[in-house]
Amino acid sequence: VTGSLIIPLLLSILEKRYKFIENIQKQREDRRKQIEDQRRLGRRETINDTIGMWQELYILTTEVIYFEPDKDGNAEINQIITKLIRFPSSAEVTVNKWGHQYPNLKFEDHDIFLSFVNVVYQSALSIALYIQRGIDKKQRNELQNMLNLILDQVKSIVHHRMIDIFKYSANMLE
């Protein structure tokens, strides 16, 4: 009689233990999925931040390109210069995310994109400072046209390709 009672009791204990192990495995799997979802979201945010960084630089650069002292005045160029001077600080936050979110890309890969961003940034800031100093209209137009050419080339050659590289990298990490 006791033997017949022990078998169902053992089966009940084993079943509860098995469910306990299943629950632990399910919790681990849920946690792994949650971590992967957070990483995926972080990579998407980094791509969006990179696009935002580029848009900010693009807007500031076009403000320099289309600036006219007769219409816009010195206060406007001073504001543009101030925004340009602040740009590296905000951009650095985004750039620092690249290495963390895309560990499969080398820092040399980041540096290529960053070099082109710096070319646009340094050109825009330099030309804005020249405009602030009050160069003649002919020189200003020449510099603004060169800046426009630089901006268009960097945009067409680098910007979209870098975003694509991040997207492909994200796909490889998933």
Side-chain angles (χ1 to χ4, degrees), residues 61-155:
T61 303
T62 55
E63 286 179 8
V64 174
I65 291 169
Y66 297 109
F67 179 80
E68 292 186 35
D70 300 337
K71 290 181 185 176
D72 302 321
N74 268 351
E76 181 72 24
I77 194 67
N78 291 339
Q79 289 176 350
I80 294 169
I81 290 170
T82 301
K83 290 176 190 176
L84 280 165
I85 289 171
R86 290 182 182 154
F87 174 77
S89 297
S90 63
E92 185 176 2
V93 172
T94 299
V95 171
N96 287 337
K97 291 179 183 180
W98 295 348
H100 299 290
Q101 294 298 332
Y102 299 98
N104 56 339
L105 295 177
K106 299 176 186 173
F107 284 106
E108 294 82 21
D109 300 331
H110 305 166
D111 287 345
I112 291 169
F113 180 65
L114 205 51
S115 296
F116 283 103
V117 168
N118 283 331
V119 165
V120 172
Y121 166 73
Q122 293 294 336
S123 299
L125 181 59
S126 298
I127 292 170
L129 290 170
Y130 272 107
I131 291 171
Q132 184 188 40
R133 288 181 21 199
I135 59 175
D136 66 57
K137 185 175 181 174
K138 183 180 177 190
Q139 282 181 312
R140 187 188 78 239
N141 287 340
E142 287 175 4
L143 289 173
Q144 288 171 319
N145 288 337
M146 284 189 272
L147 181 58
N148 193 24
L149 183 63
I150 291 169
L151 181 63
D152 285 345
Q153 291 301 309
V154 170
K155 180 183 173 192

Side-chain angles (χ1 to χ4, degrees), residues 36-70:
E36 187 55 40
D37 288 344
Q38 288 172 342
R39 288 181 182 155
R40 190 176 297 114
L41 179 63
R43 288 190 286 270
R44 277 193 221 125
E45 286 175 0
T46 300
I47 289 172
N48 290 336
D49 290 348
T50 302
I51 292 169
M53 179 186 78
W54 173 257
Q55 287 174 336
E56 180 183 358
L57 180 60
Y58 188 84
I59 289 168
L60 290 171
T61 303
T62 55
E63 286 179 8
V64 174
I65 291 169
Y66 297 109
F67 179 80
E68 292 186 35
D70 300 337

Side-chain angles (χ1 to χ4, degrees), residues 28-38 40:
R28 285 181 183 165
E29 182 64 24
D30 290 346
R31 179 68 181 142
R32 187 192 62 74
K33 285 180 182 178
Q34 183 183 19
I35 290 170
E36 187 55 40
D37 288 344
Q38 288 172 342
R40 190 176 297 114

